[in-house]
């Protein structure tokens, strides 16, 4: 069988509330895609859901063989789910899309058009974000600006998530990147090729709760920065210089007080300031170093990025990625 033109990869973690609507919207919009492309497949990656998601996906797969399922042995995280989809995708173009319909399937038609014009990466940029907390919007805005400032060479588009289309050359390049701490949107930017944006207003999650609680968001942000930048390591130098300056001023003040002050014993505040400054600077930098050392440790184990328990309708001859 020839390769399908389009593969849609959809990570799924406890999405039983949205899967029925998702499949309805997909079936509808696929008719529109079919005006532009010959063939398609949808790869659902079940990321260790513990609700009815897998059962629902299996039912979809039994009704339509172009609906395919990769099921992980446990929750490996959103970025790993995307990775598994990219690893198995057969399409000439691969679209990555959230399950909760926050990435409107209708926008994909426009992505296909841009790809046809010759772009290798077409990413979605959110012009508006509905139904998301002020906190989420604010942290996202700060994060994308901070990330850009730290990256220098590689430009990661602001306000773009993982919702995007990538062409075959980008897919193959992505498969060669086997690092554990994966920040897919950054990796796509790093890979290069001709990139362009389409704009869309991001609707609210169709149903259910966000699967990105604060803890996962923080991890994701740290991964994003630490996998693409060593700028935080350089903080050590600046922090050292800054605390050294403050310590020198403190010393000057202490000496002045000793000789020209009122003569009262005044060692206590000086020591407190010096100890506090030194300790905080050191602890902070130990933490930063720990982030990078931890990463070295995890990379060096060379474990597979994810483990699949089950695959349905997936063509097993599709090259699974090299072991490392
Ligand atoms: N997701 C996943 N594994 C996880 C967390 C999330 O596969 O550990 C999927 C989830 O099912 C959804 C997508 O990743 O399809 C984005 O998650 P969500 O919509 O909850 O994130 P938000 O839009 O709130 O940032
Ligand atoms: Mg969402």
């Amino acid at each position: 069988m020839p390769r399908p033109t389009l593969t849609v990869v959809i990570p799924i973690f406890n999405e039983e509330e949205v899967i029925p609507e998702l499949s309805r919207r997909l079936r509808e919009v696929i008719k529109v895609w079919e005006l532009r492309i010959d063939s398609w497949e949808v790869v659902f990656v079940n990321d260790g859901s513990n609700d009815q998601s897998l059962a629902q996906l299996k039912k979809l797969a039994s009704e339509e063989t172009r609906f395919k399922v990769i099921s992980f042995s446990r929750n490996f995280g959103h970025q790993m789910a995307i990775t598994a989809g990219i690893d198995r995708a057969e399409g000439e173009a691969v679209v990555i899309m959230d399950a909760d319909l926050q990435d409107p399937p209708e926008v994909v038609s426009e992505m296909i058009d841009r790809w046809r014009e010759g772009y290798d990466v077409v990413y979605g940029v959110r012009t508006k974000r509905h139904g998301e907390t002020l906190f989420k919007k604010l942290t996202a805005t700060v994060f994308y600006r901070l990330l850009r400032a730290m990256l220098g060479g590689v430009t990661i588009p602001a306000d773009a998530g993982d919702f995007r289309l990538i062409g075959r050359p980008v897919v193959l390049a992505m498969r060669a990147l086997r690092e554990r701490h994966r920040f897919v949107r950054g990796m796509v930017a790093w890979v290069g090729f001709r990139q362009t944006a389409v704009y869309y207003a991001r609707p609210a999650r169709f149903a259910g709760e966000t699967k990105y609680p604060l803890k996962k968001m923080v991890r994701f942000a740290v991964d994003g920065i630490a996998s693409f930048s060593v700028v935080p390591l350089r903080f050590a130098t600046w922090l050292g210089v800054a605390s050294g300056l403050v310590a020198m001023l403190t010393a000057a003040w202490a000496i002045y007080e000793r000789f020209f002050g009122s003569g009262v014993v005044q060692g206590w505040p000086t020591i407190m300031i010096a100890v506090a400054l030194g300790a905080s600077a050191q602890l902070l930098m130990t933490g930063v170093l720990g982030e990078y050392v931890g990463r070295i440790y995890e990379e060096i184990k060379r474990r597979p990025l994810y483990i699949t328990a089950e695959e349905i309708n997936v063509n097993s001859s599709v090259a699974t990625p090299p072991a490392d």
Side-chain angles (χ1 to χ4, degrees), residues 17-321:
E17 286 167 286
V18 299
I19 289 172
E21 174 68 10
L22 172 66
S23 67
R24 196 189 64 73
R25 283 271 287 280
L26 276 176
R27 283 178 214 267
E28 225 165 61
V29 79
I30 281 169
K31 292 188 200 128
V32 183
W33 297 344
E34 278 173 338
L35 302 175
R36 295 172 160 81
I37 53 170
D38 301 328
S39 54
W40 54 270
E41 62 173 357
V42 178
V43 178
F44 297 98
V45 184
N46 173 42
D47 184 14
S49 302
N50 42 35
D51 64 356
Q52 288 306 303
S53 298
L54 181 59
Q56 290 172 330
L57 294 178
K58 282 183 174 171
K59 187 163 168 288
L60 291 178
S62 69
E63 293 161 3
E64 164 63 71
T65 56
R66 287 171 292 182
F67 284 160
K68 308 181 175 185
V69 181
I70 300 171
S71 188
F72 283 176
S73 59
R74 64 168 170 86
N75 179 256
F76 278 89
H78 180 208
Q79 304 289 300
M80 290 303 177
I82 294 174
T83 302
I86 294 174
D87 287 343
R88 302 294 193 295
E90 291 182 68
E92 289 298 331
V94 177
V95 166
I96 301 160
M97 198 173 96
D98 282 355
D100 59 3
L101 295 166
Q102 284 196 283
D103 301 335
E106 292 72 20
V107 178
V108 173
S109 304
E110 201 186 329
M111 292 183 170
I112 297 172
D113 290 343
R114 306 312 303 277
W115 171 61
R116 278 277 146 88
E117 287 166 21
Y119 288 99
D120 299 297
V121 175
V122 188
Y123 52 86
V125 173
R126 310 142 173 178
T127 52
K128 285 202 188 81
R129 300 170 76 126
H130 297 289
E132 291 191 86
T133 59
L134 190 64
F135 177 72
K136 185 140 193 165
K137 285 185 212 173
L138 203 72
T139 48
T141 308
V142 172
F143 172 64
Y144 285 112
R145 303 299 177 286
L146 190 70
L147 191 65
R148 278 178 88 132
M150 284 197 180
L151 287 184
V154 181
T155 332
I156 295 186
D159 306 315
D162 289 314
F163 183 32
R164 57 189 60 214
L165 177 150
I166 57 181
R168 189 85 185 155
V170 181
V171 170
L172 296 180
M174 288 290 291
R175 284 184 188 171
L177 308 184
R178 303 315 288 173
E179 65 220 56
R180 299 199 55 73
H181 291 272
R182 304 180 79 76
F183 185 64
V184 172
R185 61 200 72 164
M187 293 161 73
V188 173
W190 183 86
V191 161
F193 294 98
R194 293 190 65 198
Q195 316 218 352
T196 189
V198 296
Y199 297 86
Y200 70 104
R202 189 157 220 240
R205 183 173 244 287
F206 173 73
E209 292 280 297
T210 174
K211 307 297 181 288
Y212 262 98
L214 186 62
K215 204 172 138 209
K216 270 191 189 173
M217 260 169 69
V218 171
R219 267 265 56 95
F220 182 66
V222 172
D223 272 349
I225 290 171
S227 353
F228 280 89
S229 169
V230 290
V231 170
L233 282 174
R234 269 178 230 140
F235 285 163
T237 320
W238 293 113
L239 210 64
V241 170
S243 61
L245 277 177
V246 176
M248 266 159 65
L249 289 176
T250 315
W253 168 62
I255 290 166
Y256 176 84
E257 283 293 320
R258 167 70 182 73
F259 291 107
F260 309 105
S262 54
V264 182
V265 176
Q266 287 194 339
W268 188 74
T270 326
I271 291 173
M272 286 311 284
I273 293 169
V275 168
L277 263 176
S280 66
Q282 294 202 24
L283 276 178
L284 178 68
M285 287 327 297
T286 312
V288 172
L289 280 175
E291 280 296 328
Y292 287 89
V293 174
R295 253 152 245 275
I296 294 170
Y297 172 60
E298 284 180 0
E299 291 294 349
I300 218 149
K301 283 193 277 192
R302 294 189 168 236
R303 292 195 180 159
L305 300 179
Y306 53 83
I307 295 169
T308 53
E310 218 178 328
E311 300 197 356
I312 303 160
N313 293 343
V314 174
N315 179 355
S316 55
S317 71
V318 176
T320 29

